[in-house]
Amino acid sequence: KIYEVVVSCFLCLATSNKSPPTAAAATTMSNWAASPRSGSADEVINKTNKVSAQLKAIYKDNILPAEKRYRYDFFYESPFLTDVEFDAKPQVMLVGQYSVGKTSFIRYMLGRDFPGARIGPEPTTDRFTCLINGPEERTIPGNALSVHPDLPFRGLERFGVSFLSRFEGSQLPSSVLRSITLVDTPGILSGEKQRVNRGYDFTKVVSWFADRADLILLLFDAHKLDISDELKATIDVLKGHEDKVRCILNKADQINRQQLMRVYGSLLWSLGKTINSPEVLRVYVGSFWHEPLQNLDNAELFESEESDLMRDLAILPRQSAVRKINELVKRIRKVKTLAYIIGHLKSQMPAVMGKDKKQQKLISDMPNVFRQIMKKHNLAPGDFPDINKFSEKLKDTKFSEFHSLKLDQIQLLEDCLSSHLPKLMEELPSEKDSPETLKAKFGAN
């Protein structure tokens, strides 16, 4: 069933010395899993595959031509989408400073060790590790993983051999990994080690995975709440993905109830200063490893929090189709805005003389250029690229070589937003559906 992930995760509790989940949590999960709207795992997979096939056609016919014409891959450092990325399982990425329990959390979820796992108080995970389901236990080197025809990691080739040598796949048979893919990241270090010693741009790699992740788990240690400049830089690249981010306050059993209250408040305060969002991020509190709780004061709270987190993970496969549509909508809006910007810059260039001087003037006046385009075409400020990064990219181009704006391509993008994708959303299950309409949507006889 679709709740297989939940069952698998709670099997971990049965094999540990911790208390089993509360009866209320178990009842809630049973009721949710038995709901007729949940559907079976096969139905969800079939529906997701159907949606993915239609999304591929929409992307290739309506969006990809505009991306190529206006060099979306260059300005956003995001390669063109491939078929395997539409077919990929939901991805869950874990991010945090070293020794906050990222690898232990994965081990706790799976209920077992996995190939290549290294756990310790020092920075032990020195590479990005993708955990995938497979018939046998083995590690797959990053260079081989990036060219695997069935895995969505082709785009990582752009980060070079220095990164791929610190990227690996961990394959093992797991009921959890049949539904999702887990991404373990290196612990975030402080100072020059974070920026120089890695040999690749850590934040850009995190940004690449964040674009494709369905859920981003940001882990904190109850004893290490300080958000360093390096961690803040990593959190900054998650901008635009706030709806995916969940926080975990780990090792919370090592402090008493009064201390936990203060630590929780301090973490929310720190996050509020770091993440520019009016909404408060969801923070799960607990101790996610196989050892027994050191302090039982908050045992019931930890069980409830764990139940909520595992439910969030369990519904990812069911929400995968919606997430793919959501990500494509965000991409379309960016492509459309980029098209207007490139078209405007091209139109401002002189026919013969003074091209370089005019280009420099436009780059220095980019804030006004953005305002003009925004007002003229009624665009949202949030759809525009970061002005500083965009200006730096423009310095490496020649405006005279840009393509002019093609209104028919803009119309294709508008059709996606106003017609194609809304129709696709209507085919997905919703709370308003009756059993009869659900059968029709799933293609049942």
Side-chain angles (χ1 to χ4, degrees):
K1 295 295 182 181
I2 188 61
Y3 57 91
E4 183 177 35
V5 177
V6 172
V7 176
S8 300
C9 292
F10 275 95
L11 283 176
C12 299
L13 293 176
T15 57
S16 71
N17 295 326
K18 292 187 178 181
S19 302
T22 60
T27 302
T28 300
M29 286 194 301
S30 299
N31 292 340
W32 166 77
S35 168
R37 291 184 174 86
S38 294
S40 70
D42 290 339
E43 288 174 335
V44 172
I45 291 172
N46 290 337
K47 174 51 64 177
T48 301
N49 290 341
K50 182 180 178 182
V51 170
S52 296
Q54 294 183 64
L55 286 177
K56 289 178 202 174
I58 292 172
Y59 176 73
K60 289 179 180 178
D61 297 339
N62 297 45
I63 306 165
L64 184 58
E67 288 189 1
K68 291 180 177 180
R69 182 177 180 85
Y70 303 109
R71 302 178 64 184
Y72 179 89
D73 59 328
F74 171 76
F75 286 106
Y76 279 94
E77 296 184 352
S78 177
F80 305 129
L81 299 179
T82 59
D83 287 351
V84 71
E85 291 185 79
F86 287 99
D87 297 330
K89 298 175 186 176
Q91 289 187 20
V92 179
M93 179 172 69
L94 289 85
V95 180
Q97 299 185 89
Y98 73 90
S99 194
V100 296
K102 297 185 297 296
T103 305
S104 295
F105 176 86
I106 292 176
R107 182 171 174 265
Y108 182 60
M109 274 192 61
L110 300 178
R112 53 170 295 180
D113 287 319
F114 57 90
R118 291 174 289 275
I119 298 174
E122 73 283 1
T124 50
T125 302
D126 62 346
R127 60 194 62 216
F128 283 78
T129 304
C130 291
L131 285 88
I132 56 179
N133 186 55
E136 60 182 6
E137 293 188 18
R138 60 170 177 159
T139 58
I140 306 174
N143 285 282
L145 204 62
S146 67
V147 296
H148 197 293
D150 299 325
L151 296 174
F153 303 124
R154 190 94 188 186
L156 290 170
E157 292 178 334
R158 64 173 42 225
F159 299 110
V161 176
S162 60
F163 165 73
L164 293 176
S165 63
R166 293 175 176 83
F167 173 54
E168 70 178 14
S170 179
Q171 178 183 288
L172 67 157
S174 168
S175 58
V176 174
L177 297 178
R178 282 204 296 266
S179 302
I180 61 176
T181 298
L182 298 173
V183 180
D184 191 12
T185 63
I188 296 173
L189 307 174
S190 298
E192 291 295 292
K193 291 181 180 179
Q194 170 74 15
R195 185 176 61 85
V196 177
N197 289 7
R198 292 196 190 275
Y200 61 91
D201 194 320
F202 178 80
T203 55
K204 286 187 177 180
V205 176
V206 170
S207 177
W208 188 93
F209 277 105
D211 288 341
R212 291 152 181 80
D214 291 69
L215 192 67
I216 302 169
L217 298 179
L218 193 57
L219 278 80
F220 293 90
D221 187 328
H223 295 92
K224 295 190 299 185
L225 292 183
D226 59 306
I227 297 179
S228 64
D229 291 341
E230 292 74 23
L231 179 57
K232 185 181 185 304
T234 304
I235 294 175
D236 286 343
V237 303
L238 302 180
K239 183 179 180 181
H241 303 293
E242 290 85 358
D243 57 319
K244 304 178 185 178
V245 179
R246 305 288 186 275
C247 295
I248 295 179
L249 181 57
N250 200 16
K251 306 181 184 180
D253 64 321
Q254 299 176 16
I255 54 179
N256 61 37
R257 185 171 300 174
Q258 185 179 21
Q259 291 170 332
L260 178 59
M261 179 182 68
R262 292 174 178 171
V263 167
Y264 183 82
S266 177
L267 177 59
L268 289 181
W269 180 82
S270 298
L271 289 172
K273 293 188 67 177
T274 306
I275 300 176
N276 296 321
S277 174
E279 292 83 17
V280 178
L281 291 179
R282 175 67 163 95
V283 179
Y284 298 98
V285 182
S287 178
F288 299 93
W289 66 336
H290 285 292
E291 298 301 320
L293 296 177
Q294 295 185 21
N295 191 324
L296 299 177
D297 288 353
N298 303 300
E300 187 174 344
L301 169 65
F302 296 160
E303 290 169 359
S304 298
E305 292 285 282
E306 186 171 287
S307 176
D308 289 348
L309 174 57
M310 296 307 170
R311 186 181 290 108
D312 267 1
L313 291 168
I315 64 176
L316 285 180
R318 191 176 67 183
Q319 292 182 335
S320 179
V322 177
R323 175 67 69 185
K324 286 181 171 66
I325 294 174
N326 182 63
E327 291 302 312
L328 196 59
V329 167
K330 289 196 290 187
R331 193 176 180 103
I332 292 171
R333 296 177 70 90
K334 289 180 180 179
V335 173
K336 186 178 75 168
T337 302
L338 179 63
Y340 280 124
I341 296 172
I342 298 300
H344 176 83
L345 295 177
K346 172 69 174 180
S347 68
Q348 298 298 307
M349 295 301 291
V352 182
M353 303 292 291
K355 292 182 180 180
D356 290 342
K357 186 176 180 180
K358 182 63 175 179
Q359 176 169 329
Q360 292 174 6
K361 183 178 179 181
L362 286 169
I363 292 176
S364 62
D365 196 35
M366 196 53 58
N368 286 329
V369 171
F370 274 22
R371 278 192 288 270
Q372 291 175 25
I373 298 171
M374 189 186 310
K375 185 176 181 180
K376 181 178 179 180
H377 301 288
N378 194 28
L379 301 173
D383 294 339
F384 281 75
D386 180 273
I387 193 167
N388 296 321
K389 293 180 181 178
F390 189 74
S391 298
E392 287 298 317
K393 286 285 186 181
L394 288 174
K395 293 177 182 178
D396 297 328
T397 64
K398 291 185 177 180
F399 291 7
S400 57
E401 297 178 355
F402 285 168
H403 291 288
S404 58
L405 185 68
K406 285 186 67 175
L407 293 179
D408 59 338
Q409 285 190 331
I410 296 295
Q411 188 57 51
L412 288 175
L413 298 176
E414 290 288 358
D415 290 344
C416 291
L417 296 173
S418 61
S419 176
H420 303 321
L421 295 180
K423 287 180 181 177
L424 205 54
M425 285 293 295
E426 290 177 359
E427 296 180 16
L428 297 174
S430 70
E431 292 297 321
K432 297 179 180 179
D433 286 325
S434 64
E436 290 74 21
T437 58
L438 276 175
K439 288 181 180 179
K441 287 183 177 183
F442 279 122
N445 295 325

mmCIF file of all heavy atoms in Angstrom, residues 146-165:
data_model
loop_
_atom_site.group_PDB
_atom_site.id
_atom_site.type_symbol
_atom_site.label_atom_id
_atom_site.label_comp_id
_atom_site.label_asym_id
_atom_site.label_seq_id
_atom_site.Cartn_x
_atom_site.Cartn_y
_atom_site.Cartn_z
ATOM 1 N N SER A 146 26.293 9.461 -12.728
ATOM 2 C CA SER A 146 25.858 10.628 -13.517
ATOM 3 C C SER A 146 25.484 10.267 -14.947
ATOM 4 O O SER A 146 24.816 11.058 -15.622
ATOM 5 C CB SER A 146 26.963 11.688 -13.530
ATOM 6 O OG SER A 146 28.097 11.231 -14.249
ATOM 7 N N VAL A 147 25.913 9.103 -15.423
ATOM 8 C CA VAL A 147 25.560 8.699 -16.790
ATOM 9 C C VAL A 147 24.598 7.515 -16.800
ATOM 10 O O VAL A 147 24.321 6.952 -17.866
ATOM 11 C CB VAL A 147 26.832 8.328 -17.601
ATOM 12 C CG1 VAL A 147 27.724 9.545 -17.757
ATOM 13 C CG2 VAL A 147 27.604 7.184 -16.943
ATOM 14 N N HIS A 148 24.068 7.172 -15.629
ATOM 15 C CA HIS A 148 23.114 6.058 -15.554
ATOM 16 C C HIS A 148 21.835 6.448 -16.294
ATOM 17 O O HIS A 148 21.245 7.503 -16.026
ATOM 18 C CB HIS A 148 22.802 5.730 -14.096
ATOM 19 C CG HIS A 148 22.167 4.389 -13.900
ATOM 20 N ND1 HIS A 148 20.897 4.092 -14.359
ATOM 21 C CD2 HIS A 148 22.612 3.265 -13.296
ATOM 22 C CE1 HIS A 148 20.591 2.848 -14.041
ATOM 23 N NE2 HIS A 148 21.619 2.310 -13.397
ATOM 24 N N PRO A 149 21.369 5.626 -17.222
ATOM 25 C CA PRO A 149 20.218 6.028 -18.050
ATOM 26 C C PRO A 149 18.898 6.113 -17.305
ATOM 27 O O PRO A 149 17.967 6.774 -17.774
ATOM 28 C CB PRO A 149 20.166 4.923 -19.125
ATOM 29 C CG PRO A 149 20.821 3.731 -18.482
ATOM 30 C CD PRO A 149 21.890 4.294 -17.598
ATOM 31 N N ASP A 150 18.798 5.453 -16.139
ATOM 32 C CA ASP A 150 17.527 5.427 -15.417
ATOM 33 C C ASP A 150 17.505 6.332 -14.200
ATOM 34 O O ASP A 150 16.531 6.307 -13.434
ATOM 35 C CB ASP A 150 17.207 3.987 -14.984
ATOM 36 C CG ASP A 150 17.073 3.042 -16.173
ATOM 37 O OD1 ASP A 150 16.571 3.495 -17.220
ATOM 38 O OD2 ASP A 150 17.485 1.871 -16.060
ATOM 39 N N LEU A 151 18.560 7.106 -13.970
ATOM 40 C CA LEU A 151 18.636 7.967 -12.787
ATOM 41 C C LEU A 151 18.803 9.430 -13.207
ATOM 42 O O LEU A 151 19.492 9.728 -14.190
ATOM 43 C CB LEU A 151 19.806 7.535 -11.892
ATOM 44 C CG LEU A 151 19.702 6.132 -11.290
ATOM 45 C CD1 LEU A 151 20.979 5.766 -10.545
ATOM 46 C CD2 LEU A 151 18.497 6.026 -10.358
ATOM 47 N N PRO A 152 18.188 10.348 -12.458
ATOM 48 C CA PRO A 152 18.129 11.755 -12.896
ATOM 49 C C PRO A 152 19.322 12.594 -12.455
ATOM 50 O O PRO A 152 19.162 13.696 -11.941
ATOM 51 C CB PRO A 152 16.844 12.240 -12.211
ATOM 52 C CG PRO A 152 16.813 11.481 -10.929
ATOM 53 C CD PRO A 152 17.390 10.122 -11.237
ATOM 54 N N PHE A 153 20.548 12.088 -12.647
ATOM 55 C CA PHE A 153 21.726 12.797 -12.156
ATOM 56 C C PHE A 153 22.650 13.271 -13.276
ATOM 57 O O PHE A 153 23.789 13.632 -13.022
ATOM 58 C CB PHE A 153 22.505 11.898 -11.185
ATOM 59 C CG PHE A 153 21.675 11.412 -10.023
ATOM 60 C CD1 PHE A 153 21.542 10.055 -9.756
ATOM 61 C CD2 PHE A 153 21.016 12.312 -9.204
ATOM 62 C CE1 PHE A 153 20.781 9.603 -8.698
ATOM 63 C CE2 PHE A 153 20.240 11.866 -8.140
ATOM 64 C CZ PHE A 153 20.120 10.517 -7.880
ATOM 65 N N ARG A 154 22.157 13.271 -14.485
ATOM 66 C CA ARG A 154 22.980 13.676 -15.623
ATOM 67 C C ARG A 154 23.458 15.116 -15.484
ATOM 68 O O ARG A 154 24.589 15.449 -15.855
ATOM 69 C CB ARG A 154 22.171 13.519 -16.905
ATOM 70 C CG ARG A 154 22.985 13.680 -18.174
ATOM 71 C CD ARG A 154 23.451 12.334 -18.654
ATOM 72 N NE ARG A 154 24.385 12.411 -19.759
ATOM 73 C CZ ARG A 154 24.824 11.354 -20.409
ATOM 74 N NH1 ARG A 154 24.417 10.154 -20.050
ATOM 75 N NH2 ARG A 154 25.684 11.467 -21.387
ATOM 76 N N GLY A 155 22.622 15.962 -14.942
ATOM 77 C CA GLY A 155 22.965 17.373 -14.827
ATOM 78 C C GLY A 155 24.125 17.663 -13.902
ATOM 79 O O GLY A 155 24.682 18.766 -13.923
ATOM 80 N N LEU A 156 24.510 16.687 -13.074
ATOM 81 C CA LEU A 156 25.621 16.910 -12.142
ATOM 82 C C LEU A 156 26.973 16.910 -12.835
ATOM 83 O O LEU A 156 27.979 17.278 -12.227
ATOM 84 C CB LEU A 156 25.600 15.833 -11.049
ATOM 85 C CG LEU A 156 24.439 15.930 -10.055
ATOM 86 C CD1 LEU A 156 24.385 14.692 -9.172
ATOM 87 C CD2 LEU A 156 24.569 17.183 -9.191
ATOM 88 N N GLU A 157 27.018 16.512 -14.093
ATOM 89 C CA GLU A 157 28.282 16.517 -14.838
ATOM 90 C C GLU A 157 28.871 17.914 -14.937
ATOM 91 O O GLU A 157 30.087 18.078 -15.051
ATOM 92 C CB GLU A 157 28.066 15.944 -16.236
ATOM 93 C CG GLU A 157 27.750 14.462 -16.262
ATOM 94 C CD GLU A 157 27.504 13.949 -17.676
ATOM 95 O OE1 GLU A 157 27.092 14.773 -18.523
ATOM 96 O OE2 GLU A 157 27.714 12.753 -17.921
ATOM 97 N N ARG A 158 28.015 18.925 -14.870
ATOM 98 C CA ARG A 158 28.487 20.306 -15.008
ATOM 99 C C ARG A 158 29.407 20.732 -13.864
ATOM 100 O O ARG A 158 30.129 21.727 -13.976
ATOM 101 C CB ARG A 158 27.299 21.270 -15.102
ATOM 102 C CG ARG A 158 26.444 21.313 -13.861
ATOM 103 C CD ARG A 158 25.372 22.395 -13.925
ATOM 104 N NE ARG A 158 24.729 22.468 -15.212
ATOM 105 C CZ ARG A 158 24.478 23.600 -15.862
ATOM 106 N NH1 ARG A 158 24.848 24.747 -15.325
ATOM 107 N NH2 ARG A 158 23.880 23.600 -17.022
ATOM 108 N N PHE A 159 29.377 20.006 -12.738
ATOM 109 C CA PHE A 159 30.212 20.364 -11.593
ATOM 110 C C PHE A 159 31.596 19.727 -11.653
ATOM 111 O O PHE A 159 32.414 19.956 -10.758
ATOM 112 C CB PHE A 159 29.500 19.992 -10.290
ATOM 113 C CG PHE A 159 28.196 20.710 -10.100
ATOM 114 C CD1 PHE A 159 26.991 20.028 -10.193
ATOM 115 C CD2 PHE A 159 28.162 22.072 -9.865
ATOM 116 C CE1 PHE A 159 25.778 20.678 -10.034
ATOM 117 C CE2 PHE A 159 26.955 22.744 -9.703
ATOM 118 C CZ PHE A 159 25.764 22.049 -9.796
ATOM 119 N N GLY A 160 31.849 18.925 -12.659
ATOM 120 C CA GLY A 160 33.192 18.439 -12.913
ATOM 121 C C GLY A 160 33.595 17.206 -12.117
ATOM 122 O O GLY A 160 32.885 16.732 -11.234
ATOM 123 N N VAL A 161 34.797 16.744 -12.447
ATOM 124 C CA VAL A 161 35.318 15.516 -11.840
ATOM 125 C C VAL A 161 35.562 15.705 -10.353
ATOM 126 O O VAL A 161 35.399 14.768 -9.553
ATOM 127 C CB VAL A 161 36.623 15.090 -12.552
ATOM 128 C CG1 VAL A 161 37.240 13.869 -11.876
ATOM 129 C CG2 VAL A 161 36.345 14.778 -14.018
ATOM 130 N N SER A 162 35.955 16.908 -9.926
ATOM 131 C CA SER A 162 36.232 17.136 -8.505
ATOM 132 C C SER A 162 34.993 16.893 -7.646
ATOM 133 O O SER A 162 35.106 16.406 -6.518
ATOM 134 C CB SER A 162 36.745 18.560 -8.283
ATOM 135 O OG SER A 162 35.790 19.508 -8.718
ATOM 136 N N PHE A 163 33.826 17.221 -8.197
ATOM 137 C CA PHE A 163 32.599 16.910 -7.452
ATOM 138 C C PHE A 163 32.209 15.446 -7.610
ATOM 139 O O PHE A 163 31.877 14.772 -6.625
ATOM 140 C CB PHE A 163 31.433 17.788 -7.909
ATOM 141 C CG PHE A 163 30.100 17.270 -7.431
ATOM 142 C CD1 PHE A 163 29.737 17.379 -6.103
ATOM 143 C CD2 PHE A 163 29.225 16.622 -8.303
ATOM 144 C CE1 PHE A 163 28.528 16.872 -5.643
ATOM 145 C CE2 PHE A 163 28.019 16.115 -7.855
ATOM 146 C CZ PHE A 163 27.674 16.243 -6.522
ATOM 147 N N LEU A 164 32.226 14.935 -8.824
ATOM 148 C CA LEU A 164 31.778 13.565 -9.062
ATOM 149 C C LEU A 164 32.601 12.548 -8.286
ATOM 150 O O LEU A 164 32.103 11.473 -7.952
ATOM 151 C CB LEU A 164 31.825 13.257 -10.562
ATOM 152 C CG LEU A 164 30.832 14.045 -11.431
ATOM 153 C CD1 LEU A 164 31.046 13.727 -12.901
ATOM 154 C CD2 LEU A 164 29.396 13.729 -11.019
ATOM 155 N N SER A 165 33.847 12.887 -7.972
ATOM 156 C CA SER A 165 34.654 11.980 -7.157
ATOM 157 C C SER A 165 34.198 11.987 -5.699
ATOM 158 O O SER A 165 34.581 11.106 -4.937
ATOM 159 C CB SER A 165 36.133 12.376 -7.240
ATOM 160 O OG SER A 165 36.342 13.666 -6.702
#
